[in-house]
Amino acid sequence: MQTSLPYSPSEHRATLALNKSTIIVWVAISLVLVETFSGAMRFYLDQVGASALMYVPKAACFALFILELPHFRASRGFWLGLLMLLTSGVLAMLHGASLGNVGFALFMYSPLLFGLVCGEHLEHRKRLLGLIIGLCLVASLVGAGLDMFTQVPWKGYSYTLGDTELSGNTAWSAGGADRIAGFTRMSTSLSVLIAIYALYLAAFTRSRLLLAGLFCVAIVGIYVSTNKSTVAAFICTLLMLPFLRQRMTCRALFFGAVAMGLALPIIGLTMNFDPRLASAYSDSSLASLYDRLINTWPMVVHSVHQQGWSLFGSGFGMVGSSVLLFPVYSADTQAVCDNTAVYLWAAFGAVGVVLYALQLPLLIALREKTSWMGRALLSICFCIALVSWTTDVLEIPIADLFIGLAIAHVLRRKALPSTGMPERRKINRNPNDPAPDRRNPNGRNPYLPSFKTL
């Protein structure tokens, strides 16, 4: 008696792939939701003693990164980068960092690693992800309005983790204006999230009227957060979009965006600014820039140089949020750098500067991609490059996620569209019929797929 399986092996593999894509996209969605509502969720989850749920999406990102890593087709440069990360972590521990510093830094950057390895699956579920991002954009705007016109309960909330007191939502003002954070933890996070969400949704929007409305609402939402650098970066990104068809113009813009991020700290070090400018222009829109030029960047560079870490950096886990949670008392660490180039240099030394400069080939490669995802990731990465002038963007998980997606999109081998190669049709030809003429330039081989539809 002959038995047959209820499904074929190919159908079984397709089902497994579908389930994997579903799990991956829902992990990405959970990360987007948690980061959009991070301030409010931290407040309410603490009330019921379930604050550990805040860490589930990042933990899932790291778990999927580990599971997918053996199946990830990567070049030698990728594995060399992982080896460099491991070496830098060992260096940080030699400089006085604990295993907690390195582990938390790896946990914090897990969205970038997740996007890098699992990015292809997220592109296949773009509609579902786009719907959630659209809802999160609306929620971010609503949260900004609530924070602006009402007194939200999570404003200024702080919590204790171990022996360290951390901020669940930062309440502060600049220039006499309240920094609106909405449902998130900080105004910077809110502004960057609105910019990324709007640029991602723009790839789905066909109507010019809806596109104009989307951009106007996003600009208003970012402006309400009083984060001036993100407003300028978002507007500059919109001005860049009409030049996408001009290769050399785009390359010049990309070079300027990356070079300026490197040049600003150098200007702060080499130019002799009057220290009184930072306080004299405290009410000016350039007050924060003056403060970084005069105080923040020179102090960070001086601290790293004095400890002899200029060439190889302080190590992975010795810069950023990890030193707030796990203080390193034997060294002068940098929790805030306010510039991603300085941030990477402080952590990885000269290699960090190279990593920052790699944004240029990334942007150039994304411009060559003509897909909807390529255009969306190009605009997002260009905006992130501009924001990185005055922000540690690697501390923002959603920015990390889309940077990982962009790298994965570029590294993917240029082949057929995501729909895949059409299956060859089985044609039952009479053996007495003459074979098709493969040398006929005007004829088409019936046994090969038509590439006009690809």
Side-chain angles (χ1 to χ4, degrees):
M1 180 178 179
Q2 185 177 4
T3 60
S4 60
L5 294 173
Y7 47 81
S8 64
S10 61
E11 290 175 341
H12 180 62
R13 288 193 297 268
T15 302
L16 290 178
L18 178 62
N19 293 337
K20 181 188 296 185
S21 297
T22 302
I23 293 173
I24 288 174
V25 76
W26 278 107
V27 168
I29 287 172
S30 66
L31 177 69
V32 171
L33 290 173
V34 167
E35 292 303 319
T36 302
F37 299 95
S38 57
M41 284 186 66
R42 167 64 68 175
F43 175 77
Y44 288 112
L45 288 176
D46 267 357
Q47 306 302 312
V48 296
S51 58
L53 294 176
M54 295 283 296
Y55 305 110
V56 171
K58 287 184 182 178
C61 287
F62 184 72
L64 285 173
F65 165 72
I66 296 298
L67 292 174
E68 285 295 302
L69 191 59
H71 310 289
F72 182 62
R73 297 179 181 177
S75 61
R76 294 179 180 178
F78 173 80
W79 301 109
L80 184 62
L82 289 183
L83 180 62
M84 183 209 71
L85 206 63
L86 178 62
T87 305
S88 182
V90 174
L91 180 64
M93 297 180 71
L94 292 176
H95 289 161
S98 65
L99 192 60
N101 290 98
V102 178
F104 184 80
L106 194 61
F107 174 79
M108 186 174 61
Y109 301 135
S110 59
L112 191 153
L113 301 174
F114 167 75
L116 177 60
V117 174
C118 305
E120 184 177 1
H121 296 279
L122 295 179
E123 291 186 27
H124 294 162
R125 308 303 296 271
K126 58 182 180 292
R127 294 186 181 275
L128 177 59
L129 187 61
L131 175 62
I132 299 299
I133 286 179
L135 295 176
C136 287
L137 175 60
V138 174
S140 298
L141 297 173
V142 171
L146 289 175
D147 195 1
M148 187 175 184
F149 297 108
T150 64
Q151 185 63 37
V152 293
W154 56 86
K155 188 76 169 181
Y157 175 71
S158 61
Y159 61 98
T160 302
L161 191 60
D163 297 330
T164 307
E165 183 177 351
L166 301 174
S167 173
N169 179 276
T170 304
W172 63 301
S173 61
D178 183 28
R179 302 297 297 266
I180 303 299
F183 294 120
T184 63
R185 297 179 61 246
M186 296 181 64
S187 60
T188 303
S189 300
L190 175 65
S191 61
V192 172
L193 291 185
I194 292 175
I196 291 176
Y197 293 163
L199 292 172
Y200 183 84
L201 292 175
F204 295 93
T205 308
R206 302 280 181 152
S207 170
R208 292 187 177 182
L209 182 62
L210 290 177
L211 200 61
L214 174 65
F215 290 150
C216 289
V217 169
I219 290 174
V220 172
I222 299 172
Y223 180 79
V224 164
S225 71
T226 67
N227 198 281
K228 297 174 286 294
S229 61
T230 309
V231 174
F234 188 76
I235 293 176
C236 289
T237 302
L238 300 185
L239 295 176
M240 179 272 299
L241 295 178
F243 297 99
L244 286 179
R245 294 182 180 274
Q246 303 178 23
R247 174 178 295 181
M248 297 309 299
T249 303
C250 281
R251 292 191 175 186
L253 292 174
F254 299 158
F255 177 81
V258 176
M260 199 62 180
L262 292 168
L264 281 174
I266 297 176
I267 293 172
L269 289 170
T270 57
M271 300 293 291
N272 188 19
F273 289 100
D274 186 353
R276 293 172 295 181
L277 283 175
S279 57
Y281 291 92
S282 59
D283 295 331
S284 170
S285 59
L286 296 177
S288 59
L289 180 60
Y290 280 128
D291 181 63
R292 290 174 173 89
L293 287 169
I294 298 170
N295 298 317
T296 307
W297 298 331
M299 289 176 61
V300 172
V301 172
H302 178 74
S303 174
V304 174
H305 179 70
Q306 283 293 104
Q307 298 177 89
W309 298 340
S310 300
L311 183 59
F312 298 105
S314 58
F316 182 68
M318 287 279 281
V319 179
S321 299
S322 61
V323 296
L324 290 177
L325 188 60
F326 300 95
V328 180
Y329 298 105
S330 61
D332 185 12
T333 55
Q334 311 303 321
V336 178
C337 299
D338 281 338
N339 178 279
T340 304
V342 174
Y343 182 97
L344 289 171
W345 172 76
F348 304 108
V351 176
V353 178
V354 174
L355 290 175
Y356 185 84
L358 286 177
Q359 288 183 101
L360 180 59
L362 175 64
L363 292 170
I364 293 174
L366 286 173
R367 186 210 163 265
E368 301 300 323
K369 303 288 184 178
T370 57
S371 62
W372 68 270
M373 191 65 169
R375 288 292 183 256
L377 293 174
L378 171 61
S379 58
I380 290 173
C381 287
F382 185 78
C383 186
I384 289 175
L386 298 179
V387 173
S388 70
W389 295 0
T390 57
T391 306
D392 301 332
V393 293
L394 294 178
E395 296 281 317
I396 304 174
I398 299 302
D400 289 343
L401 174 64
F402 279 93
I403 291 173
L405 288 175
I407 298 173
H409 192 75
V410 168
L411 293 181
R412 190 172 308 137
R413 186 172 53 188
K414 186 177 181 181
L416 297 174
S418 58
T419 53
M421 172 80 78
E423 296 182 359
R424 297 188 178 186
R425 293 174 295 177
K426 295 180 179 180
I427 301 177
N428 296 323
R429 185 171 57 86
N430 191 328
N432 296 323
D433 293 341
D437 186 3
R438 299 175 184 265
R439 296 172 298 177
N440 182 11
N442 298 323
R444 184 177 65 84
N445 185 356
Y447 299 97
L448 294 178
S450 173
F451 284 90
K452 293 183 180 180
T453 60
L454 299 180

